[in-house]
Amino acid sequence: MTYLRALRDQRRGIVVLLGWSVLEGVPALLSGRLVGLAVDRGFAAGRPWTGVAWLLLFAAVAVLGGFGLRQVFMRLGAVVEPLRDALVRQIVRGVLHAGSQTRQPDASAVARITRHVEVVRDATAGVLVQARALLVTTAAALVGLAATVSSLAWLVILPVVAALILFGLLLPSLARGQRRLVLADEQAASVAGTVFLGVRDVTAVGGADHALRDVMIEVDHQASATVRMAFATALRGVVIALGGFAPLVLLLLVAPGMVRAGTLTVGEVLGAVVYLSTSVQPALRRLADTTSTVVLRLVVALRRLAEAAPPIREPGGDATPDGTDLELRAVTFGWSPTAEPVVRNLDLTLPPGSHLAVVGPSGIGKSTLAGLITGLVEPQSGEILFGGTPVRSVAPELRHQRIALVPQETYLFTGTVRENLSLFAPDASDATLLQAAAAVGASDLLTKLGGLSGTIGHSAAGLSAGEAQLLTAARVYTSPADVVILDEATSALDPAAEAVVEQAFAARNGTLIVIAHRLSSALRADQVLLMDGGPPLLGHHQDLLTTSPLYRDLMAAWQQAPTTEPAPLGPATSLRGSI
């Protein structure tokens, strides 16, 4: 489990925390004893300065314990922050993995990352602070109490045991309430997120009232779960009162008679009161807080995170491909076992140097094909070979290096232009980076940015979508990838700039697959793969015009639409691949 692994990785820090906890527990061990000695050997014996000396020693011990507590909190971040980072990585990977297996956005992922992970982080810190205090402080206080007034130990034990039994009976209902609250929060975030993502569609169809009603239903469920949890928490307070105050009440009832009988001194009684009021009673409150809030929240949040982002079975292996050819054999894929396949029985061979354009209506499965070729998505049947090796069996680091997928969304990072362009080729020289930029038509853009030493701001501030896509293309051009997939990666460029990018990659001595944003990409390709929901068709542009009514319709619609695109290039003359 990610959580336990992350804790094991921080075991040294946890041991350090426990070490400082021993120092923190010294006041709990000595507090009552020192107060009792101040009374019996000082103030009650007519030696006030001796009593003051014992109290000053108590103050020094308290300062020592405070120093230990300060060290605990100073070192707490070194344990919980790496834990939080590990959980965020797990959730993000789980969301991205789930995103590759479904076409629906996961709005509740925000709740999992922002709420549940923070719950785990805060709860873990609470457990490390409070459970540590319970272990060290309570043990020290009970030892000190037993050593000071052994005959009164039973006054503490009986109420505490009764409180623990009652509290244990409450825990199942508290756990159920906490889980209901977590699920209600997540469902409210999911429904609200879905409405916000589709707010334009909701407005267009006049569904605002219906959408608002759906959101308010989930908000009401969330409020109801919160109220029920508040009642359960209030009941917990009764148990705290029983275990925390009953020992003091019993002590006040029994102690006067024992003092009159001479079996207890006034100092011993006062010491017992100090132990109960400053150590045992706060420890019981922390026990209830830790168990009924912190621990319950931690357990419920971890369970929900495990359900929402289970461990990912990474496509892995240590195989090395023999060559760079791509081959798909009878590949079929659907988004669920019962869904209509978006890729059906596809056979495709792409030798090194191939230039393929993938066309078809929106949502027909073109991007899914890109996921299959890169190994991000596993086919339901058939196999995908890269260099004669199943693509998901290729060593992941090698597969990521040899096959590059460039999506429509651009990902530039805060830093210099050089750092962004050399991301996949960290050893590339400045001359290589400048050559890549020139090849894809980004030289003027680099000049505008101040050259390779120019800076790119947060979220590529100041750059247009097309400029960001140009820099992304230059970055991939610099990489050692043998296969490049442009998944509408030039959608924000004008037709002329798009042609420059595609021709640069086509001349790069690698395999190029273009998921076409404009059908002009099909005219530049050696072969065209048409996906229309049925058996895919592969062929030359002219062949598909003759054999496929859908392709003719798509091409006619594109040519008749108002456009500033240049005249189509001449038809490609080579046909590679078979279907």
Side-chain angles (χ1 to χ4, degrees):
M1 184 179 181
T2 302
Y3 180 75
L4 295 179
R5 286 198 303 270
L7 283 182
R8 284 199 302 270
D9 292 341
Q10 304 304 318
R11 54 184 175 273
R12 181 177 180 180
I14 294 174
V15 170
V16 171
L17 288 181
L18 291 177
W20 286 110
S21 298
V22 174
L23 183 61
E24 182 195 354
V26 172
L29 177 65
L30 300 179
S31 59
R33 181 63 175 166
L34 293 176
V35 171
L37 290 173
V39 172
D40 291 338
R41 298 185 184 181
F43 301 114
R47 295 192 291 272
W49 291 111
T50 301
V52 170
W54 284 112
L55 292 180
L56 289 175
L57 180 59
F58 179 27
V61 169
V63 170
L64 188 65
F67 178 75
L69 180 60
R70 179 175 183 271
Q71 295 301 314
V72 167
F73 278 96
M74 288 180 63
R75 286 160 174 76
L76 190 61
V79 175
V80 299
E81 294 305 327
L83 172 68
R84 177 189 179 278
D85 293 343
L87 289 175
V88 169
R89 283 194 298 270
Q90 176 70 16
I91 297 304
V92 171
R93 290 173 65 231
V95 170
L96 293 176
H97 178 74
S100 69
Q101 307 299 323
T102 177
R103 300 185 61 84
Q104 296 300 319
D106 188 0
S108 64
V110 176
R112 292 201 293 274
I113 294 174
T114 59
R115 181 178 179 85
H116 301 338
V117 171
E118 289 305 316
V119 165
V120 173
R121 172 184 176 273
D122 295 342
T124 300
V127 168
L128 290 175
V129 172
Q130 310 241 16
R132 169 200 55 79
L134 287 172
L135 177 66
V136 177
T137 305
T138 306
L142 292 178
V143 170
L145 180 62
T148 303
V149 284
S150 57
S151 59
L152 293 179
W154 62 274
L155 289 174
V156 177
I157 295 174
L158 289 180
V160 169
V161 170
L164 290 176
I165 292 174
L166 290 176
F167 194 73
L169 295 176
L170 283 176
L171 281 179
S173 63
L174 287 171
R176 289 192 297 270
Q178 185 66 39
R179 178 170 172 78
R180 282 194 298 266
L181 179 58
V182 167
L183 293 177
D185 287 345
E186 186 172 319
Q187 181 64 17
S190 178
V191 172
T194 301
V195 171
F196 291 150
L197 286 172
V199 65
R200 295 178 63 183
D201 294 334
V202 170
T203 303
V205 301
D209 292 339
H210 181 77
L212 177 62
R213 184 167 58 253
D214 288 345
V215 172
M216 293 308 301
I217 288 174
E218 299 306 328
V219 171
D220 290 342
H221 289 165
Q222 185 182 28
S224 177
T226 303
V227 170
R228 288 198 297 268
M229 191 64 192
F231 277 117
T233 303
L235 185 59
R236 180 204 63 192
V238 177
V239 178
I240 301 304
L242 174 64
F245 292 101
L248 279 174
V249 173
L250 292 176
L251 177 64
L252 293 176
L253 292 175
V254 175
M258 298 182 69
V259 171
R260 286 193 297 270
T263 55
L264 278 180
T265 67
V266 173
E268 289 172 339
V269 174
L270 184 58
V273 171
V274 170
Y275 279 123
L276 290 172
S277 60
T278 64
S279 296
V280 175
Q281 188 182 84
L284 286 175
R285 286 199 300 269
R286 287 196 297 269
L287 170 65
D289 291 338
T290 302
T291 306
S292 64
T293 57
V294 177
V295 173
L296 281 180
R297 292 173 68 208
L298 176 62
V299 171
V300 171
L302 285 175
R303 180 179 175 185
R304 186 58 189 142
L305 289 178
E307 293 170 349
I312 299 171
R313 184 175 64 87
E314 291 280 4
D318 54 5
T320 301
D322 181 16
T324 63
D325 55 299
L326 276 171
E327 184 177 1
L328 282 70
R329 297 176 179 174
V331 171
T332 296
F333 177 81
W335 290 108
S336 73
T338 58
E340 186 74 16
V342 292
V343 177
R344 188 194 303 273
N345 199 33
L346 174 60
D347 293 310
L348 177 65
T349 299
L350 295 175
S354 298
H355 181 182
L356 172 71
V358 183
V359 301
S362 178
I364 205 64
K366 301 187 297 294
S367 294
T368 302
L369 178 61
L372 289 165
I373 293 174
T374 57
L376 296 175
V377 179
E378 186 174 8
Q380 293 172 341
S381 63
E383 58 180 350
I384 302 166
L385 304 178
F386 175 55
T389 303
V391 68
R392 290 174 68 90
S393 297
V394 176
E397 62 278 4
L398 183 59
R399 176 163 50 89
H400 299 158
Q401 184 183 57
R402 304 277 295 274
I403 304 176
L405 170 62
V406 189
Q408 180 177 358
E409 299 81 7
T410 54
Y411 299 96
L412 296 175
F413 307 97
T414 303
T416 66
V417 175
R418 179 183 292 106
E419 289 169 336
N420 273 272
L421 295 189
S422 63
L423 180 65
F424 302 136
D427 298 328
S429 65
D430 286 359
T432 301
L433 298 179
L434 292 172
Q435 181 184 3
V440 300
S443 294
D444 291 342
L445 176 57
L446 258 64
T447 301
K448 169 187 171 182
L449 294 173
L452 294 175
S453 298
T455 58
I456 295 176
H458 178 66
S459 298
L463 292 176
S464 68
E467 290 172 332
Q469 287 186 339
L470 270 182
L471 291 178
T472 303
R475 172 200 290 163
V476 176
Y477 189 95
T478 308
S479 76
D482 300 304
V483 177
V484 173
I485 305 172
L486 302 180
D487 187 0
E488 299 193 8
T490 57
S491 59
L493 298 177
D494 61 60
E498 178 183 66
V500 171
V501 172
E502 290 184 11
Q503 289 168 347
F505 278 102
R508 186 174 164 270
N509 298 322
T511 297
L512 174 63
I513 301 173
V514 179
I515 295 176
H517 173 67
R518 302 179 180 95
L519 288 184
S520 53
S521 297
L523 304 179
R524 288 186 285 266
D526 296 340
Q527 52 188 338
V528 179
L529 178 66
L530 173 64
M531 302 180 67
D532 64 352
L537 297 178
L538 179 69
H540 187 273
H541 163 67
Q542 295 293 348
D543 295 334
L544 291 179
L545 283 176
T546 303
T547 60
S548 172
L550 174 61
Y551 188 74
R552 285 198 303 273
D553 292 342
L554 290 173
M555 191 61 64
W558 169 69
Q559 291 175 336
Q560 293 172 7
T563 179
T564 58
E565 294 189 6
L569 301 178
T573 57
S574 61
L575 175 61
R576 299 174 185 153
S578 59
I579 198 163

